[in-house]
Amino acid sequence: MSLSRAGSGFLHPMEPGDPLRAVGTLLPILYVWCLPFLGKLGFAHLCTDFPRCDSTGASVSDFISNDHATGAMAALFFYPNLFLWKNALHVRDTYVYRTLGTYQASFGLFLACPVTEVPNLHGMAVCLFCITGLAHNNKMLKHCEGQTKLLCQRLLKIAMMAFVVIFLLVWVARFDENLLPDNCPYCFWISECVGLSSMIIFPLFWYRDHYFDADEGGDSWAPSLENRAQAAHSRELVQRPGS
């Protein structure tokens, strides 16, 4: 399957012109999957009876509940969140900006409220940013075009299934506080990593060839910046003497 983005205003990460986008997507994924290792190095937080932390076992929330781990999380997730906003520029839809704004605010609240300090507020922030993140990606999927749409559909389904598993594990922990820590202490953390990784990769492959169309409240179909530049260049060639 070809993943070329010919005609797009944004280069595809696999093209040689934009390696930073692929790197910016890969780093936060590596970070969440390497948190147990970083904890053993003293960078991330480890609970007293690691990995039997709380009633759910190990979790991303617990790993990043010190200053430097939280700061690294914020720094590494800046780039994927930036491309969520850049992709939203292709769509004229107030719902997209509402879900994205709510997601951004709740993600900030998730970082600002450590689970070790304010667990109830932290839990609310996690629920809100998961739900709004999935809702935003679902809405953006409807505007996705090209051969990457199938991949985006699969990424969204994986994220949804991962977060459903997370919510189920939370309910299991409510009924039996020792079941997860004693039998599968990393299950909750793995589910979080799968869901977060899918959501991080989604904006990397989301693609649309134009900004908006008449069905979205615009006056006319508006091509991307690169298509406009190509059209202008073609007109110049036509207007040159002797061409």
Side-chain angles (χ1 to χ4, degrees):
M1 181 178 68
S2 172
L3 297 179
S4 174
R5 289 193 174 197
S8 171
F10 303 109
L11 290 175
H12 190 275
M14 300 307 173
E15 295 176 352
D18 192 13
L20 287 179
R21 188 169 182 183
V23 174
T25 300
L26 181 62
L27 286 178
I29 294 175
L30 289 176
Y31 180 69
V32 294
W33 284 100
C34 290
L35 281 171
F37 175 72
L38 293 174
K40 292 178 181 179
L41 292 179
F43 182 83
H45 174 264
L46 293 181
C47 65
T48 304
D49 194 21
F50 180 82
R52 296 170 180 82
C53 308
D54 222 4
S55 58
T56 57
S59 68
V60 171
S61 297
D62 190 81
F63 282 125
I64 67 166
S65 58
N66 60 26
D67 295 340
H68 29 283
T70 299
M73 182 89 167
L76 293 173
F77 272 75
F78 169 80
Y79 206 77
N81 289 339
L82 170 66
F83 271 95
L84 286 174
W85 287 99
K86 294 194 73 172
N87 287 346
L89 293 175
H90 283 263
V91 179
R92 175 173 286 188
D93 190 328
T94 55
Y95 180 83
V96 165
Y97 290 100
R98 288 172 183 170
T99 54
L100 184 52
T102 307
Y103 161 80
Q104 190 79 66
S106 56
F107 184 75
L109 187 64
F110 159 76
L111 296 177
C113 301
V115 68
T116 54
E117 301 292 334
V118 280
N120 292 333
L121 188 56
H122 180 87
M124 292 173 56
V126 171
C127 291
L128 188 58
F129 98 72
C130 288
I131 293 171
T132 53
L134 292 173
H136 174 74
N137 285 350
N138 183 59
K139 186 65 176 179
M140 291 295 289
L141 181 63
K142 297 177 181 178
H143 301 285
C144 185
E145 299 172 351
Q147 297 178 345
T148 60
K149 184 171 184 177
L150 179 59
L151 177 58
C152 288
Q153 288 175 336
R154 290 174 179 173
L155 288 169
L156 181 59
K157 288 179 180 179
I158 292 172
M160 286 181 173
M161 289 188 291
F163 289 124
V164 167
V165 170
I166 290 171
F167 290 129
L168 290 176
L169 291 176
V170 169
W171 280 103
V172 169
R174 285 178 176 270
F175 289 103
D176 190 339
E177 295 183 354
N178 298 316
L179 180 62
L180 295 177
D182 290 343
N183 296 282
C184 45
Y186 290 102
C187 187
F188 192 86
W189 165 73
I190 292 173
S191 300
E192 288 181 308
C193 289
V194 171
L196 288 172
S197 298
S198 300
M199 292 185 69
I200 292 168
I201 297 172
F202 184 94
L204 177 73
F205 289 101
W206 187 92
Y207 164 67
R208 195 179 195 190
D209 194 46
H210 61 282
Y211 282 113
F212 60 88
D213 54 36
D215 293 335
E216 297 169 340
D219 296 325
S220 61
W221 185 87
S224 65
L225 294 176
E226 187 172 329
N227 283 346
R228 294 178 186 177
Q230 290 174 348
H233 180 65
S234 299
R235 287 195 296 270
E236 290 178 3
L237 293 177
V238 172
Q239 294 170 2
R240 284 178 184 174
S243 61

